[in-house]
Amino acid sequence: MRALAVFPGERAVRLVERTPPRIATPTDVRLRVLDVGICGTDREICRFEFGTPPAGADHLVLGHECLAEVVEVGSEIRALAAGELVVPAVRRPCPHDACSPCRSGRQDFCHTGDFVEHGIKERHGFLAEEVVEDARYLHAVPRELRDVAVLVEPLTVAEKALGQARQVRERLGDRAGNTAVVAGAGPVGLLSAMVLAAAGFDTHVWSLEPESDARAELAASLGARYVPAAREPLARLGTRLGNVDVLFEATGVPQVTFEALEALGHNGVLVLFGLPGRRSTLEVDAAAVVRSLVLRNQVVLGTINAGHDAFASAIRDLGTFEARWPGVLRRLVTGRFPLDEHGEALRTDARAIKSVVAVG
Ligand SMILES: [Zn+2]
Ligand SMILES: [Zn+2]
């Protein structure tokens, strides 16, 4: 079978021929991969800036945003059957007894850093014709979501972000305001806008693209207001809105993070999930930042990866979004490419929102 792999030593990305995997334990499930979404992380791995092959391997099979179909299940598996659709989780627990998150199924909160991640860190990814995975890391998806379920994994990022923002907002009870801003209109930014709009927030999407861009139209079709960065700086948007209660920072640009802090209102929660590059030096008024955090009861939280609860919410919400905004999720997938044309999917294209490798 074919798989797409990155060879960091050779600085090469190419299709490789591999032996199809077999079921080895009673809880294994053999899967035929259907769709794999490509994101900034994959592009960084293909530029050899990121990503680690499994121990002893000279290559890493790519792919972490996966939709697959069950082909065969191990002898102990009752909850899944051949033909069902599933989305696998990306992260696997670290081996340390002292890591209570990993020992209790919350490896998204691993505190040792020794977790592994499919297609990213020390574990082959899903960009292969077939994979075998333990059933406990698989999430069943209804058949009617076949065309859009490749978005489940990126959506889990937004679901985990909202889940944590909600926990912080519990301190306010029913006094919490409902003005939300998402900075960045990439796939996770737009999915965040959907999550927030569906949760009843008055949602604004602030991003670099001009108002004529497809992303702006997409935001508008959710009932969110799109604000081009060139028309209004983020901090000024915050002032105009009165009080920004929740701000999702999805650009990963450190300068935007500090502007987001300026835009954040009283009792506001700033959630960071965009990842900056390795180095960035900025001059900031540190006293103003600290003053604002204290005087306005603000919370800044970072979030990475997602737990089972976020996968369950993402799968449920994809159905909700389809019903509420018919066709909008499909418009997020701007390109589908067969395995042979992976180069097109990996290419950075300013007009593309989400590129997908259609493996099967
Ligand atoms: Zn991704
Ligand atoms: Zn751990």
Side-chain angles (χ1 to χ4, degrees):
M1 67 157 198
R2 292 178 309 161
L4 182 63
V6 56
F7 292 75
E10 292 175 44
R11 298 180 74 83
V13 180
R14 62 171 180 265
L15 288 174
V16 290
E17 203 51 54
R18 292 169 65 86
T19 314
R22 289 206 193 133
I23 286 188
T25 76
T27 55
D28 274 351
V29 178
R30 187 159 64 91
L31 304 169
R32 182 170 78 92
V33 175
L34 300 176
D35 287 343
V36 176
I38 300 296
C39 73
T41 300
D42 300 296
R43 294 191 176 97
E44 280 175 30
I45 294 171
C46 289
R47 290 195 303 263
F48 319 105
E49 292 167 9
F50 201 61
T52 317
D58 62 351
H59 67 283
L60 170 73
V61 174
L62 277 172
H64 58 275
E65 301 179 2
C66 174
L67 170 69
E69 186 181 73
V70 175
V71 177
E72 182 191 358
V73 298
S75 56
E76 280 180 17
I77 300 305
R78 301 280 172 271
L80 285 172
E84 276 189 82
L85 299 183
V86 291
V87 170
V90 178
R91 189 178 282 191
R92 300 293 171 269
C94 77
H96 307 290
D97 288 339
C99 185
S100 55
C102 283
R103 299 287 71 77
S104 56
R106 287 311 302 254
Q107 48 271 16
D108 57 316
F109 285 111
C110 174
H111 60 62
T112 70
D114 291 337
F115 56 80
V116 297
E117 286 176 337
H118 281 279
I120 302 172
K121 185 176 180 281
E122 297 160 36
R123 183 73 64 100
H124 286 312
F126 305 118
L127 244 169
E129 288 173 306
E130 285 198 10
V131 294
V132 164
E133 188 54 74
D134 191 289
R136 94 187 88 150
Y137 301 117
L138 299 175
H139 300 90
V141 172
R143 180 53 70 170
E144 56 269 26
L145 296 176
R146 162 67 183 88
D147 292 346
V148 293
V150 69
L151 298 170
V152 166
E153 199 279 336
L155 179 55
T156 60
V157 175
E159 297 284 0
K160 183 177 173 186
L162 180 63
Q164 289 177 86
R166 274 194 172 129
Q167 286 177 26
V168 175
R169 286 160 56 80
E170 271 173 24
R171 62 189 179 160
L172 295 164
D174 58 8
R175 299 167 202 90
N178 73 337
T179 300
V181 172
V182 178
V188 177
L190 290 168
L191 289 166
S192 295
M194 292 188 196
V195 164
L196 289 163
F201 283 89
D202 179 20
T203 306
H204 303 74
V205 178
W206 177 92
S207 194
L208 283 179
E209 293 78 18
E211 206 138 28
S212 57
D213 193 273
R215 294 154 207 258
E217 285 167 46
L218 263 167
S221 50
L222 313 172
R225 255 147 299 182
Y226 184 80
V227 183
R231 202 179 66 203
E232 192 168 41
L234 190 50
R236 196 157 6 112
L237 171 65
T239 310
R240 176 165 65 83
L241 295 178
N243 201 75
V244 174
D245 302 292
V246 174
L247 203 156
F248 281 9
E249 205 302 285
T251 71
V253 179
Q255 197 178 334
V256 175
T257 302
F258 285 94
E259 283 172 32
L261 266 171
E262 273 184 69
L264 194 67
H266 288 265
N267 313 318
V269 190
L270 170 59
V271 186
L272 310 179
F273 44 76
L275 264 182
R278 291 195 196 286
R279 231 187 111 74
S280 167
T281 310
L282 279 180
E283 196 168 294
V284 294
D285 181 347
V289 169
V290 177
R291 250 196 326 267
S292 171
L293 286 168
V294 174
L295 291 172
R296 300 181 181 181
N297 294 300
Q298 292 168 329
V299 173
V300 181
L301 69 88
T303 176
I304 187 75
N305 204 258
H308 288 297
D309 52 345
F311 275 87
S313 310
I315 292 164
R316 187 201 58 224
D317 273 354
L318 276 188
T320 311
F321 299 167
E322 275 284 86
R324 182 158 174 184
W325 304 299
V328 166
L329 286 167
R330 275 180 193 77
R331 282 161 57 201
L332 283 183
V333 179
T334 44
R336 296 177 72 85
F337 306 92
L339 203 44
D340 288 323
E341 292 170 27
H342 58 267
E344 282 301 299
L346 287 163
R347 201 163 55 87
T348 306
D349 174 352
R351 288 159 308 164
I353 301 176
K354 173 60 77 184
S355 297
V356 170
V357 179
V359 180

